[in-house]
Amino acid sequence: MFRATAKFLGKSQLEEVRIHLGDYTVEYNGKRYDTSALKWDSPATGTVYGTALNYQGALAALGDAVYESPYQAPPQAPVMYIKPANTLIGCGQPIPLPEDVTELEMGAALGVVIARPAFHVSEAEVLDYVIGYTVANDVSIPHRSVYRPAISQKCRDGFCPLGPWIIQREAVADPDRLGVRVYINGQLRQENTTANLIRSVPRLIADIAEFMTLNAGDVLLVGVPEGAPLARAGDRVRIEIEQVGCLDNIVVPEQELLGGGAA
Amino acid sequence: MKRARVAYKGMIHQAVEQDGMLRLDDSRVVAEDEVVWLPPVKPRTVFALGLNYADHAQELAFKAPEEPLVFLKGPNTFIGHRAETPRPADVTYMHYECELAVVIGRPARKVKREDAYDCVAGYTVCNDYAFRDYLENYYRPNLRVKNRNSCTPLGPWLVDAADVPDPMNLTLRTYVNGELTQEGTTRDMIFSVPDLIEYLSSFMTLNSGDLILTGTPKGTVDTKVGDEVVTEIEGIGRLVNTIVEEKYVTC
């Protein structure tokens, strides 16, 4: 059993819950619930930063293109981006499918949640700056180029489901050995492990904190494995990260959602 | 009206400009050098434009983009008027960028160009420093170039939209140690303020507190430790920043 912080839909503040990963139940206010019986909002309170090309396979998929125009050379510093506030939704909330798009990439990512401002920290001490972990789905409209920031492909409303909770750091024995699985309509469509990260979780945080502060509550998505599966309208998507949790969402055409945005 | 956010005697206040002084929200009137200036808005999502002036795109040997080149910035990077920006010891080229910053005042989705100004709360001045040594061709301009701590001065004032009759006809100027080094006009933007609001709101919802930094014209030069950099936009404000040595202790 581990502590976690969560935000329930309709509640204005974060709550503390206890997670039983064995039978996947949640203790809240002295009662025990199936995870699917609760309505979740995103528990993120800070800025959500993403990291591209941090799985060996994801960089390998670019092949020799990294030496050609427009890239010219393989990446040196972590390749980062921001998932802005409008993208965040909770577990169980619909992912809006834009009208002009038929398929979306489901980007399974471990989210590392920062405990206190981290700037110029050594790799050995990084985990002292981590409060816990969460599961994120870095949704994208499929696109190949990573030359320019992919705002119109990655920053649409509801394009970053996150949760269901932030589980305490102690729940994870080693963030660099976590299985990552994506199921669509119950079928396993992707399987990978954070052991395949180019920069390990501590190395990544230390390298980012070399040039900017990661603040308390910020969430760092450590990377999306190559071959992100595609989902269509009506598909039920589950992203599972061992020792952290399962994030469930359904893809729904945006015109069926109130205001065309996240519900 | 010109609005500011300042710290004064241990408290954060909203303030308005009054005869060259600041009138705080508790009606005390103080001089502008008695306060610590904070960014006039607490930014939510911040969009920044690359290559949005044809002459600057040419200066950097880029052809003008066909679609707005937009990147995002995090909250760690913003500082107020009269603050300091560190220059890392290893960089050879750190340049300012004087930019008109548009502050969104209400939720905006699928807004047409002709209605775009209705969503604007006001305008301020931004200096969007860049560290060209760290440029890489992945999600360019990358965060190491554009999202360093304290590298985006913003302010001093948020000027109400009603007081800016034509935001597309304002002169921008930058002075380094008193010498004019950059001069342009918002008329020369490739994508105008209404274009940008229409573009962004066509695929995502903008909200109150979001910021659009609209890009910089020609005339960016390297700046050194000790330089005073003043970015100024006609009718909006004069934003002062000093470049300092980057100092930190590694654990």
Side-chain angles (χ1 to χ4, degrees):
Chain A
M1 185 183 67
F2 293 101
R3 274 186 294 111
T5 49
K7 190 161 183 290
F8 294 114
L9 271 189
K11 292 274 197 168
S12 61
Q13 58 195 356
L14 296 169
E15 312 271 350
E16 183 164 300
V17 298
R18 282 169 201 281
I19 309 296
H20 300 261
L21 287 172
D23 61 0
Y24 212 56
T25 57
V26 180
E27 252 179 75
Y28 169 58
N29 270 352
K31 286 190 181 163
R32 210 148 154 174
Y33 301 88
D34 281 333
T35 303
S36 59
L38 297 166
K39 292 201 183 300
W40 308 91
D41 202 347
S42 161
T45 56
T47 304
V48 178
Y49 292 99
T51 314
L53 306 176
N54 197 33
Y55 274 86
Q56 291 166 22
L59 185 61
L62 275 182
D64 286 341
V66 297
Y67 298 103
E68 292 156 14
S69 181
Y71 305 119
Q72 310 292 357
Q76 301 297 310
V79 180
M80 296 177 67
Y81 51 94
I82 292 174
K83 296 292 275 194
N86 65 303
T87 65
L88 291 172
I89 58 172
C91 179
Q93 301 305 305
I95 299 169
L97 177 69
E99 270 182 284
D100 52 346
V101 174
T102 54
E103 292 180 314
L104 297 175
E105 279 178 9
M106 301 292 112
L110 171 69
V112 181
V113 186
I114 302 297
R116 56 200 170 89
F119 186 59
H120 285 270
V121 295
S122 71
E123 195 176 335
E125 286 177 310
V126 158
L127 290 185
D128 295 345
Y129 293 81
V130 170
I131 199 161
Y133 300 92
T134 190
V135 183
N137 185 351
D138 175 10
V139 177
S140 304
I141 294 172
H143 60 288
R144 295 181 69 86
S145 176
V146 282
Y147 175 50
R148 291 300 190 188
I151 308 300
S152 75
Q153 293 92 359
K154 292 179 92 67
C155 299
R156 306 229 177 184
D157 296 352
F159 267 26
C160 192
L162 194 133
W165 45 64
I166 296 164
I167 201 160
Q168 68 181 112
R169 184 182 67 200
E170 292 74 12
V172 169
D174 179 356
D176 295 310
R177 285 178 187 281
L178 297 176
V180 177
R181 283 176 277 276
V182 181
Y183 298 85
I184 296 182
N185 301 322
Q187 275 197 316
L188 181 64
R189 294 280 302 277
Q190 187 182 31
E191 191 164 20
N192 212 307
T193 158
T194 58
N196 292 328
L197 291 175
I198 293 172
R199 281 184 173 85
S200 67
V201 171
R203 184 73 253 154
L204 178 65
I205 293 174
D207 284 355
I208 292 166
E210 186 273 322
F211 66 86
M212 58 173 271
T213 299
L214 288 166
N215 271 302
D218 286 354
V219 181
L220 175 66
L221 314 184
V222 302
V224 171
E226 67 279 12
L230 297 168
R232 295 172 160 255
D235 283 349
R236 288 177 290 112
V237 182
R238 160 168 284 204
I239 296 179
E240 178 187 299
I241 298 184
E242 280 170 8
Q243 301 167 38
V244 179
C246 294
L247 177 64
D248 292 289
N249 299 88
I250 298 180
V251 178
V252 177
E254 70 172 350
Q255 55 273 29
E256 291 174 21
L257 296 169
L258 186 65
Chain B
M1 198 172 289
K2 292 181 166 183
R3 303 167 195 277
R5 266 173 78 239
V6 298
Y8 180 66
K9 293 195 187 296
M11 206 175 174
I12 293 175
H13 293 274
Q14 302 286 327
V16 295
E17 194 260 349
Q18 181 180 299
D19 307 322
M21 305 279 280
L22 285 155
R23 183 161 56 82
L24 304 184
D25 45 19
D26 58 11
S27 78
R28 279 181 291 182
V29 176
V30 297
E32 70 155 280
D33 59 359
E34 289 182 89
V35 301
V36 174
W37 291 77
L38 304 172
V41 286
K42 267 182 143 172
R44 184 178 173 266
T45 301
V46 181
F47 304 90
L49 270 288
L51 310 175
N52 198 33
Y53 284 79
D55 57 355
H56 180 60
Q58 211 169 32
E59 174 180 53
L60 298 177
F62 273 94
K63 85 175 198 289
E66 282 155 21
E67 194 184 356
L69 163 54
V70 180
F71 55 98
L72 301 181
K73 294 172 74 96
N76 60 300
T77 187
F78 291 95
I79 52 174
H81 176 49
R82 295 191 190 287
E84 297 176 341
T85 296
R87 176 179 168 119
D90 64 338
V91 305
T92 61
Y93 197 11
M94 163 183 180
H95 67 72
Y96 53 79
E97 297 188 357
C98 178
E99 307 198 6
L100 177 68
V102 180
V103 181
I104 299 297
R106 57 192 227 205
R109 182 77 211 271
K110 297 192 176 172
V111 174
K112 289 289 159 211
R113 211 176 258 108
E114 47 274 28
D115 302 321
Y117 283 124
D118 295 346
C119 313
V120 177
Y123 302 89
T124 185
V125 182
C126 176
N127 179 355
D128 187 12
Y129 279 109
F131 303 79
R132 302 198 69 82
D133 302 62
Y134 302 138
L135 270 172
E136 294 188 58
N137 294 322
Y138 297 89
Y139 289 154
R140 175 180 172 138
N142 38 315
L143 271 66
R144 196 169 171 225
V145 176
K146 280 291 182 182
N147 203 48
R148 306 179 73 83
N149 291 352
S150 310
C151 80
T152 316
L154 191 74
W157 308 104
L158 168 63
V159 181
D160 289 353
D163 297 332
V164 186
D166 187 2
M168 295 314 301
N169 189 19
L170 303 173
T171 302
L172 309 95
R173 290 191 184 93
T174 303
Y175 300 85
V176 178
N177 302 322
E179 189 191 331
L180 181 68
T181 52
Q182 182 182 37
E183 186 166 14
T185 161
T186 57
R187 275 196 310 274
D188 293 340
M189 281 187 206
I190 297 169
F191 298 100
S192 68
V193 169
D195 289 342
L196 293 169
I197 291 173
E198 178 177 274
Y199 170 73
L200 291 167
S201 77
S202 73
F203 61 81
M204 63 189 284
T205 305
L206 302 178
N207 226 312
S208 189
D210 287 354
L211 238 62
I212 306 173
L213 315 179
T214 53
T216 201
K218 186 180 174 179
T220 51
V221 300
D222 185 34
T223 48
K224 304 288 191 203
V225 171
D227 284 351
E228 183 197 65
V229 179
V230 177
T231 43
E232 182 180 73
I233 302 178
E234 177 190 359
I236 309 294
R238 183 175 174 278
L239 174 65
V240 178
N241 175 263
T242 304
I243 296 176
V244 297
E245 203 179 318
E246 187 177 63
K247 284 185 186 149
Y248 53 81
V249 179
T250 304
C251 317

